[in-house]
Amino acid sequence: MLIEQPAKFLRWLYPHALWRMDKEEHAVYLTFDDGPIPEVTPWVLDVLDHYEVKATFFMVGDNIRKHPAEFEMVKARGHRLGNHTFNHIGGLRHGISSYVRNVDRANEYLHTDLFRPPHGWMKWGQYIFVKQRYRVVMWDLVTRDYSTRLNGRDVLLNVRRYARPGSIITFHDSLKSHDKLLYALPRAIEWLQSQGYAFRVFD
């Protein structure tokens, strides 16, 4: 559970970040990290269209550079955009200046006020600088669809077990998540809808 639903002490590390939205509203926020890529992103978009759901895509700038058509598809279908750095860099391996430059380089494509750090971590100094320019969005539920130890049923179970009002739910439109997404994403959406959840994107 420490991974799927971060403990309070993890949330305290970045006190102004968004970890969970209004817990009084029966709604969830679907998010997707690491895209866009042609093998996965268009399929995700088709699933979201089928269920009439909007989501937020935290994109890697270099993937946008390599796959502009898929980037345009996300925008054309009305989804929210978020910044996930240009090279999917981990904050622990970079200084403040190089990290912020990488974030800003991605934003030359994205033009968004939302940011999520790769791996969910950055140094305190990086956070201080980034939050001056962006709203930092973490998660309330990470599905772990990237894990080689889980299958699609496990990913779906994580959604069913940990989703709650205001949850920011993280999937990945990436190659390593694709096989799990095929099973879990449509079933997760159907289950959330059956529980009466509305789907929101960030204002």
Side-chain angles (χ1 to χ4, degrees), residues 120-138:
W121 295 96
M122 50 184 159
K123 295 175 184 174
W124 180 253
Q126 294 163 346
Y127 167 67
I128 293 299
F129 273 83
V130 167
K131 79 179 183 68
Q132 294 174 18
R133 306 185 194 185
Y134 304 90
R135 285 193 291 164
V136 179
V137 180
M138 295 300 202

Side-chain angles (χ1 to χ4, degrees), residues 72-88:
E72 293 300 327
M73 289 174 63
V74 175
K75 292 198 297 180
R77 300 203 196 182
H79 298 285
R80 189 74 155 91
L81 304 180
N83 187 326
H84 204 45
T85 75
F86 190 82
N87 298 109
H88 199 265

Side-chain angles (χ1 to χ4, degrees), residues 44-145:
V44 169
L45 293 173
D46 287 344
V47 171
L48 295 176
D49 279 355
H50 177 76
Y51 293 102
E52 299 182 340
V53 168
K54 298 300 181 188
T56 303
F57 286 77
F58 288 90
M59 297 186 177
V60 175
D62 198 41
N63 282 345
I64 297 172
R65 180 189 64 81
K66 292 184 290 188
H67 310 298
E70 286 69 30
F71 175 55
E72 293 300 327
M73 289 174 63
V74 175
K75 292 198 297 180
R77 300 203 196 182
H79 298 285
R80 189 74 155 91
L81 304 180
N83 187 326
H84 204 45
T85 75
F86 190 82
N87 298 109
H88 199 265
I89 61 172
L92 299 182
R93 297 184 179 181
H94 292 265
I96 295 173
S97 295
S98 63
Y99 190 83
V100 172
R101 281 197 304 270
N102 201 272
V103 174
D104 288 344
R105 186 180 178 192
N107 220 45
E108 292 174 9
Y109 292 91
L110 287 154
H111 306 291
T112 180
D113 64 336
L114 302 180
F115 174 74
R116 173 177 284 163
H119 315 297
W121 295 96
M122 50 184 159
K123 295 175 184 174
W124 180 253
Q126 294 163 346
Y127 167 67
I128 293 299
F129 273 83
V130 167
K131 79 179 183 68
Q132 294 174 18
R133 306 185 194 185
Y134 304 90
R135 285 193 291 164
V136 179
V137 180
M138 295 300 202
W139 65 86
D140 183 59
L141 192 172
V142 60
T143 63
R144 295 185 67 204
D145 54 352

Side-chain angles (χ1 to χ4, degrees), residues 11 17-23 139-140 164-168:
R11 300 169 191 250
L18 298 176
W19 291 92
R20 183 184 179 188
M21 302 303 284
D22 186 358
K23 63 183 179 181
W139 65 86
D140 183 59
R164 56 185 178 172
S167 282
I168 300 171

